[in-house]
Amino acid sequence: MPRFPLASFRPSVWGLRCPRGRPRSQPLSTQSEIPGTAISRRNREAKQKRLREKQTALQAGQAGKSQSHAEPSKVWSPKEIVLYEVPTEPGEKKDVSRPLPPAYSPRFVEAAWYPWWVREGFFKPEYQAKLPQATGKTFSMCIPPPNVTGSLHIGHALTVSIQDALVRWHRMRGDQVLWVPGTDHAGIATQAVVEKQLWKERGVRRHELSREDFLRAVWQWKEAKGGEICEQLRVLGASLDWGRECFTMDAGSSAAVTEAFVRLHNAGLLYRNCQLVNWSCALKSAISDIEVESRPLTGRTELRLPGCPTPVSFGLLVSVAFPVEGESDAEVVVGTTRPETLPGDVAVAVHPDDPRYAHLHGRQLQHPLTGQLLPLITDSAVQPHVGTGAVKVTPAHSAADAEMGTRHGLSPLSVIAEDGTMTSLCGDWLQGLNRFVARDKIVCALRDWGLLRGLQEHPMVLPICSRSGDVVEYLLKSQWFVRCQEMGDRAAQAVQSGSLQLCPSFHHKSWQHWFAHIGDWCISRQLWWGHQIPAYQIVGDHVEGDCWVVGRSEAEAREVAAERTGRPAAELVLERDPDVLDTWFSSALFPFSALGWPREVLLHSMVRDRQGRKMSKSLGNVLDPRDIISGVELQELQAKLRDGNLDPGELAIASAAQKKDFPHGIPECGTDALRFTLCSHGVLGGDVHLSVSEVLSCRHFCNKIWNALRFVLNALGANFVPQPVKELSPSSPMDAWILSRLAFAAHECERGFLNQELSLVTHTLHHFWLHDLCDVYLEAVKPVLSHRPCPPDPPQVLFSCADVGLRLLAPLMPFLAEELWQRLPPRPGGPPSPSICVAPYPSAHSLEPWHQPELEQHFSRVQEAVQVLRSLRATYQLTKARPQVLVRISEPAEQGLFQAFLEPLGTLSRCGAVGLLPPDTAAPSGWAQASLGDSVQILMELQGLVDPQSQLPRLTAQRQKLQKQLDSLLAKATSEGEAERQQRLSSLRLELSRLNQAASHLQQLIDKAPITREP
């Protein structure tokens, strides 16, 4: 297929509307997790509980306070699962002619849309260039390539949610968007998977096959199984251009890798040397620093390691005596947690200023195992206050010792082989033994020879290979290394000069620190799967030592070798390095090979659990996004732990933590809820502390939107025809208010996307949909819609709120937005967009005529009056009655303000008729009163609606309880938490004042009640 030229894209950063038909009567398929009667009963009980809680909050004067959508919801119950079962071929458009289910169900909503988006080509820049709103600008980005063997983790979900939101917004606003998908060949992981498969299915090991046969098996596995991670990206709704999918082992990527290696070598930035590397004996390969996990141990700890038949003890300090030569009673004692490296000791070092050893400077010590003489050297790197102040020097197996050995001209002795066994330098009694078996044998020998001076628990940090679970060894190996300091300086300078932008900018300090302390990078890996290093060794008697040449091909390398040796190219024998490059060498090149040099880098946060802990299998707090999307029972979560590689102690801790955090498992939340929740955190700030309850709360938010659209569609009716936006001019203050709030939401969303502050976008959308639209406007407009004939403006306003609101929401909740938007009738006056993902994103400029900040400010006063009236209703327990209300206003300017909103004031406060009381008119007798500032007084009818004889004792009991709390708090004289204490005192005094006033009103009703005399 034709490919869009990548060079035309600016690499900015590292996402047929059917007319509403007559609903058909075919029922939707439902799948219930518990019997329907139980669900109904539980729903009723839950609703009653929420009503009681809300009433209590109102009595405490807390009604109407906005709650964040991220507030944890601790209780959840199984929801009815609705499935989309209309026969729909992959890529065919979903049938939206049928009625919406009564409640939001993620499985119903997320079915069928993604294959249709892909087939229609909505994610291709070629399609976007034809959009009516096309801007001519470009926006390009590549996905950080996930491992081809991997599965989604919550970090992937965060990255994809952020990237897709930005991509979809740029696409909707009319930019040509290119989001390149790709996967990483994952050298170590893929080779391990295929090796296990070969052993399981064919009973053969890798080395029993030729390299070519093994690589053929890997490619076969990749074609059969390697697409699973991409399917998971589709589940997340990632709007990638799949026609441009890349793989780091593709011909194009491979050529870029070879080119980079050759150029770096020719520039002197890549070299071969024999030096210490991180070595995994289980993998028999070097690994990177990032693949080494530092596991802190507080004392003796037993671990099961690959290749060891029994557990191995760590966290023990072995004290060993090195006799002083020529003095039978003199010795130097050193401590080590790695006695297996004793055969590789070439010296003992002390600090030059340590007086304990001043008399031994320049003396020789006897090796405790071999009796060979070792020098006692002095070096300022030794810490005299740690242990005995003397340390053994093993340059071949310790980075610090290697530096010390270089300073003192000591020759290293490699005593541990690639497979973790002891080498011939250890002697016949140790040669060939596993290093940890040799450890026990060495300690026993020291004890037998009288040179063991102690064995005690000792805290330490153990380096563990994250790939194999084995303890990392430090071995001297001839490998290829990248000189990173010069390139690091250039990367730091690029940010300093502004040629490369970091977003957010506070990462500058970390960026500079990272590159100021960067070391050289070992890029050799002893694998078969990967990019074989394009380096060749010249072999033959005419070559002295190791002589290597580099070339894009063997022919090019042969020409280089001929020039270097002065011999004819045809006579030379070249042997290619069998090693492959570190996977990250190619992954790091992925953005450049796909898009060129970036101008902006977006750095987002790390996802942690709700307690701020890093997610770890051993803690049992790992969240699999697929479990959050689809839901999972506790038993399955526990089974995943048991199938892992945790030791029994870690498994017990993780299992207990899982039971505590997810006693009922994880509820089905859906993709949209997960995406919205992840983006709602300040991803440009600190780490994201994620909990399942947040995502579940967001699912409830989805249900709120769902119900709002069902209400809107019902209000519009089958024959509704939308007006063009420019013709919509609301005559009602409430209609004007909600359109103003909609315009403000569009402005804030645009600001959030432009500044890449997605938390601002989510907060804005949550507030508009939940509070402005659902809690206020829909409630206020219900009586208006019941008028006959119905006024023409409210349906048009409802349609605009739904249409614009869903388009604002689409980049973050693409499935829900598409499902609902497709059911709206198209606006006249232009070609309809086939999908919301290519519909124009609402711009702040186009909606500016609707924005009326002064009107919003006026209505905020009305909303304050609503909260006062709701609080009064709660105080007097007016659950069903609709009392009359009077508003007395002393400021003339505010009279017109309230006059315009009298009907919504009564509706929203659940009261009856609302009128204005002239400021010079006395308040009617028997009405409750409350002040709204200095200029507004709210009066609510009580006569005949409450029983003061029964209500007064209740209020008296409440007042007594609050007074006790106030007295107790006043009696506590403490400086700790003084601000919170004062806030609590103020709240209690305010509540007492309110109850005193209510009690006074009730007493007045009692006093003025007619006295009934007995005949």
Side-chain angles (χ1 to χ4, degrees):
M1 60 178 296
R3 295 173 66 88
F4 202 87
L6 301 180
S8 66
F9 279 85
R10 174 183 178 268
S12 301
V13 184
W14 302 45
L16 291 168
R17 193 191 307 172
C18 291
R20 194 166 166 268
R22 185 179 299 277
R24 289 184 250 178
S25 60
Q26 180 173 340
L28 296 162
S29 171
T30 61
Q31 178 181 2
S32 182
E33 298 181 355
I34 55 178
T37 54
I39 290 179
S40 301
R41 185 178 66 253
R42 288 186 182 183
N43 287 344
R44 286 197 303 272
E45 292 172 353
K47 185 174 182 180
Q48 292 169 357
K49 181 180 179 181
R50 289 195 300 270
L51 288 173
R52 291 195 300 270
E53 291 174 347
K54 188 172 183 180
Q55 187 172 1
T56 302
L58 286 168
Q59 290 174 345
Q62 298 174 349
K65 289 186 178 180
S66 172
Q67 292 185 350
S68 168
H69 61 279
E71 183 178 345
S73 175
K74 296 183 179 179
V75 180
W76 66 274
S77 58
K79 305 297 182 183
E80 188 175 38
I81 297 175
V82 182
L83 302 178
Y84 173 78
E85 292 191 332
V86 178
T88 305
E89 292 294 325
E92 183 182 345
K93 186 175 182 181
K94 189 175 183 178
D95 186 349
V96 293
S97 64
R98 308 186 182 206
L100 288 171
Y104 168 73
S105 178
R107 297 190 199 183
F108 176 88
V109 169
E110 295 166 17
W113 286 121
Y114 195 92
W116 178 65
W117 291 335
V118 173
R119 192 196 69 175
E120 293 297 313
F122 297 146
F123 303 159
K124 292 184 171 297
E126 294 90 341
Y127 182 96
Q128 300 148 28
K130 304 173 185 177
L131 293 176
Q133 70 269 28
T135 63
K137 298 179 181 179
T138 59
F139 180 80
S140 56
M141 184 166 55
C142 68
I143 194 170
N147 287 354
V148 70
T149 61
S151 59
L152 284 178
H153 56 64
I154 203 68
H156 284 132
L158 175 61
T159 301
V160 170
S161 298
I162 295 171
Q163 287 193 307
D164 194 50
L166 294 172
V167 160
R168 287 178 179 271
W169 175 71
H170 276 281
R171 186 180 293 123
M172 291 178 69
R173 75 195 297 250
D175 298 340
Q176 277 188 279
V177 174
L178 175 62
W179 189 14
V180 180
T183 49
D184 185 298
H185 63 275
I188 293 176
T190 304
Q191 181 160 311
V193 168
V194 176
E195 286 192 74
K196 290 179 181 178
Q197 184 185 56
L198 287 172
W199 177 251
K200 181 179 179 181
E201 296 179 357
R202 297 164 55 181
V204 297
R205 302 292 187 187
R206 169 168 62 103
H207 289 285
E208 298 175 41
L209 301 174
S210 67
R211 185 167 186 152
E212 291 72 19
D213 288 342
F214 177 76
L215 292 179
R216 190 177 298 111
V218 177
W219 279 106
Q220 289 172 353
W221 176 91
K222 191 266 179 185
E223 295 304 318
K225 302 288 187 180
E228 291 182 6
I229 188 72
C230 295
E231 288 303 315
Q232 294 166 15
L233 290 172
R234 289 178 170 91
V235 169
L236 276 176
S239 55
L240 294 147
D241 184 356
W242 292 105
R244 293 182 169 89
E245 182 180 357
C246 299
F247 180 52
T248 52
M249 287 291 287
D250 286 344
S253 297
S254 297
V257 169
T258 299
E259 183 68 26
F261 188 95
V262 173
R263 289 193 185 188
L264 289 172
H265 181 267
N266 293 342
L269 295 172
L270 195 150
Y271 65 96
R272 185 177 178 87
N273 191 30
C274 182
Q275 60 192 61
L276 282 179
V277 297
N278 304 316
W279 188 266
S280 170
C281 297
L283 299 173
K284 297 180 183 177
S285 175
I287 59 174
S288 73
D289 292 342
I290 301 176
E291 291 168 311
V292 179
E293 294 180 352
S294 298
R295 182 177 300 183
L297 306 178
T298 57
R300 179 168 183 165
T301 306
E302 290 192 344
L303 299 177
R304 290 191 174 274
L305 301 175
C308 295
T310 58
V312 180
S313 295
F314 295 91
L316 293 174
L317 184 68
V318 180
S319 297
V320 184
F322 285 70
V324 178
E325 191 229 351
E327 296 186 28
S328 59
D329 59 346
E331 63 184 26
V332 175
V333 178
V334 301
T336 178
T337 58
R338 304 177 66 206
E340 66 273 15
T341 62
L342 275 169
D345 292 350
V346 296
V348 172
V350 297
H351 194 279
D353 299 330
D354 192 335
R356 294 172 294 178
Y357 303 105
H359 65 291
L360 296 177
H361 290 184
R363 298 290 297 274
Q364 299 276 327
L365 307 179
Q366 293 179 3
H367 194 290
L369 298 181
T370 66
Q372 293 180 335
L373 296 181
L374 308 179
L376 185 140
I377 62 175
T378 60
D379 195 290
S380 58
V382 178
Q383 297 176 302
H385 59 279
V386 176
T388 64
V391 296
K392 57 195 281 298
V393 183
T394 320
H397 301 287
S398 165
D401 291 4
E403 294 178 2
M404 190 180 297
T406 301
R407 288 195 295 270
H408 294 272
L410 301 173
S411 298
L413 295 176
S414 295
V415 296
I416 298 177
E418 294 179 355
D419 60 355
T421 60
M422 308 304 287
T423 68
S424 59
L425 295 178
C426 303
D428 294 341
W429 70 297
L430 294 176
Q431 182 180 359
L433 292 179
N434 181 283
R435 63 198 190 279
F436 297 120
V437 175
R439 168 189 288 187
D440 294 339
K441 195 168 184 177
I442 289 172
V443 172
C444 289
L446 291 171
R447 182 181 290 110
D448 293 342
W449 298 338
L451 296 174
L452 182 64
R453 294 295 178 263
L455 189 65
Q456 62 189 56
E457 293 196 27
H458 182 74
M460 64 177 295
V461 176
L462 193 66
I464 300 292
C465 172
S466 63
R467 301 292 187 181
S468 65
D470 197 8
V471 173
V472 173
E473 292 294 338
Y474 303 102
L475 302 186
L476 279 172
K477 303 292 295 180
S478 292
Q479 307 277 270
W480 291 96
F481 295 86
V482 175
R483 300 185 198 276
C484 294
Q485 188 60 60
E486 181 180 340
M487 290 188 289
D489 292 341
R490 293 171 62 184
Q493 180 59 34
V495 171
Q496 193 73 26
S497 65
S499 59
L500 178 65
Q501 296 182 8
L502 297 185
C503 184
S505 59
F506 66 73
H507 283 297
H508 282 193
K509 185 175 181 180
S510 299
W511 182 274
Q512 302 295 339
H513 180 270
W514 174 268
F515 287 112
H517 297 82
I518 196 170
D520 288 357
W521 173 22
C522 173
I523 56 174
S524 295
R525 296 294 180 268
Q526 289 63 45
L527 306 170
W528 283 357
W529 172 245
H531 296 102
Q532 189 172 354
I533 295 176
Y536 302 79
Q537 185 178 18
I538 308 173
V539 296
D541 297 336
H542 57 280
V543 180
E544 296 182 3
D546 281 352
C547 186
W548 291 82
V549 293
V550 169
R552 296 171 181 83
S553 64
E554 183 176 343
E556 181 178 314
R558 190 172 293 277
E559 292 178 4
V560 175
E563 182 178 349
R564 179 174 300 180
T565 61
R567 299 175 64 88
E571 297 179 4
L572 297 175
V573 178
L574 302 184
E575 291 184 359
R576 186 171 183 177
D577 190 336
D579 293 347
V580 300
L581 291 165
D582 182 0
T583 302
W584 278 307
F585 190 90
S586 57
S587 296
L589 290 172
F590 181 75
F592 311 113
S593 63
L595 297 171
W597 188 261
R599 292 184 179 87
E600 183 179 3
V601 177
L602 174 63
L603 302 173
H604 67 68
S605 311
M606 175 184 287
V607 185
R608 297 180 180 270
D609 70 5
R610 63 180 180 182
Q611 301 177 41
R613 301 174 301 174
K614 187 176 180 180
M615 292 191 178
S616 166
K617 292 180 181 178
S618 61
L619 293 176
N621 63 348
V622 172
L623 292 176
D624 186 330
R626 293 170 296 179
D627 291 340
I628 300 176
I629 291 171
S630 303
V632 64
E633 294 182 351
L634 176 62
Q635 293 82 350
E636 187 174 341
L637 289 173
Q638 300 272 284
K640 288 184 180 181
L641 284 179
R642 291 191 295 270
D643 292 341
N645 58 354
L646 300 179
D647 62 53
E650 290 176 328
L651 179 60
I653 294 173
S655 179
Q658 227 176 41
K659 290 179 181 178
K660 180 180 178 182
D661 290 341
F662 314 117
H664 308 291
I666 297 177
E668 179 195 38
C669 298
T671 297
D672 287 324
L674 176 61
R675 288 171 52 121
F676 197 87
T677 304
L678 288 169
C679 291
S680 71
H681 286 269
V683 294
L684 302 185
D687 291 340
V688 174
H689 295 183
L690 182 69
S691 67
V692 172
S693 58
E694 293 179 74
V695 190
L696 182 61
S697 178
C698 195
R699 176 194 161 130
H700 298 331
F701 174 51
C702 293
N703 190 63
K704 196 77 172 180
I705 297 172
W706 185 267
N707 288 334
L709 260 293
R710 291 180 68 234
F711 175 86
V712 170
L713 292 172
N714 182 65
L716 298 183
N719 300 317
F720 175 79
V721 177
Q723 290 180 345
V725 173
K726 294 181 180 179
E727 296 181 11
L728 183 57
S729 179
S731 57
S732 152
M734 277 309 302
D735 292 342
W737 175 82
I738 191 60
L739 291 180
S740 180
R741 294 302 299 163
L742 182 60
F744 176 78
H747 176 273
E748 291 298 279
C749 288
E750 186 175 279
R751 184 165 70 92
F753 275 117
L754 286 172
N755 296 325
Q756 297 173 350
E757 296 179 11
L758 298 188
S759 58
L760 173 60
V761 181
T762 57
H763 172 78
T764 299
L765 291 171
H766 184 268
H767 193 277
F768 171 77
W769 277 98
L770 189 61
H771 300 294
D772 294 339
L773 184 63
C774 293
D775 289 352
V776 178
Y777 183 73
L778 295 189
E779 294 300 320
V781 82
K782 285 177 182 177
V784 180
L785 293 173
S786 65
H787 295 168
R788 291 294 178 268
C790 177
D793 283 352
Q796 296 292 342
V797 171
L798 283 173
F799 172 84
S800 292
C801 288
D803 171 44
V804 176
L806 288 174
R807 284 188 282 137
L808 290 173
L809 188 69
L812 296 153
M813 290 186 170
F815 294 104
L816 178 62
E818 187 77 88
E819 181 73 36
L820 297 175
W821 188 81
Q822 288 285 348
R823 297 168 188 271
L824 293 173
R827 282 191 191 271
S833 298
S835 166
I836 196 171
C837 65
V838 290
Y841 196 81
S843 69
H845 176 74
S846 65
L847 301 183
E848 184 60 30
W850 289 350
H851 192 206
Q852 301 183 53
E854 186 177 0
L855 176 66
E856 293 183 29
Q857 186 178 4
H858 289 172
F859 187 66
S860 66
R861 289 284 284 168
V862 177
Q863 289 179 294
E864 292 175 21
V866 169
Q867 301 309 321
V868 168
L869 285 168
R870 289 185 178 182
S871 180
L872 285 175
R873 287 173 51 82
T875 299
Y876 297 103
Q877 293 191 333
L878 297 176
T879 56
K880 296 182 179 180
R882 295 292 183 264
Q884 297 184 64
V885 173
L886 293 173
V887 182
R888 185 163 55 187
I889 304 169
S890 59
E891 292 290 339
E894 285 196 301
Q895 290 189 5
L897 182 160
F898 277 91
Q899 181 71 52
F901 292 104
L902 289 182
E903 184 176 359
L905 175 58
T907 301
L908 296 173
S909 60
R910 300 181 182 90
C911 292
V914 181
L916 293 178
L917 187 67
D920 55 352
T921 304
S925 176
W927 287 49
Q929 300 181 27
S931 297
L932 188 63
D934 298 330
S935 59
V936 178
Q937 191 174 28
I938 308 293
L939 299 98
M940 187 179 73
E941 178 187 19
L942 292 181
Q943 191 75 42
L945 300 177
V946 299
D947 180 7
Q949 296 289 355
S950 63
Q951 293 288 339
L952 190 58
R954 178 183 61 82
L955 289 181
T956 301
Q958 288 186 10
R959 290 162 61 199
Q960 292 174 348
K961 182 178 179 180
L962 288 177
Q963 188 62 53
K964 287 182 180 179
Q965 294 179 15
L966 180 62
D967 294 342
S968 175
L969 198 57
L970 288 170
K972 293 180 181 179
T974 175
S975 59
E976 295 183 6
E978 182 60 23
E980 293 80 1
R981 178 173 175 271
Q982 290 298 328
Q983 186 177 6
R984 177 62 177 157
L985 285 172
S986 176
S987 176
L988 287 172
R989 286 168 177 153
L990 184 63
E991 181 65 9
L992 273 171
S993 174
R994 188 177 63 82
L995 291 178
N996 288 336
Q997 187 178 22
S1000 174
H1001 291 154
L1002 291 175
Q1003 188 61 52
Q1004 291 177 15
L1005 290 177
I1006 293 175
D1007 294 342
K1008 294 180 180 180
I1011 301 175
T1012 304
R1013 299 180 181 275
E1014 294 183 3

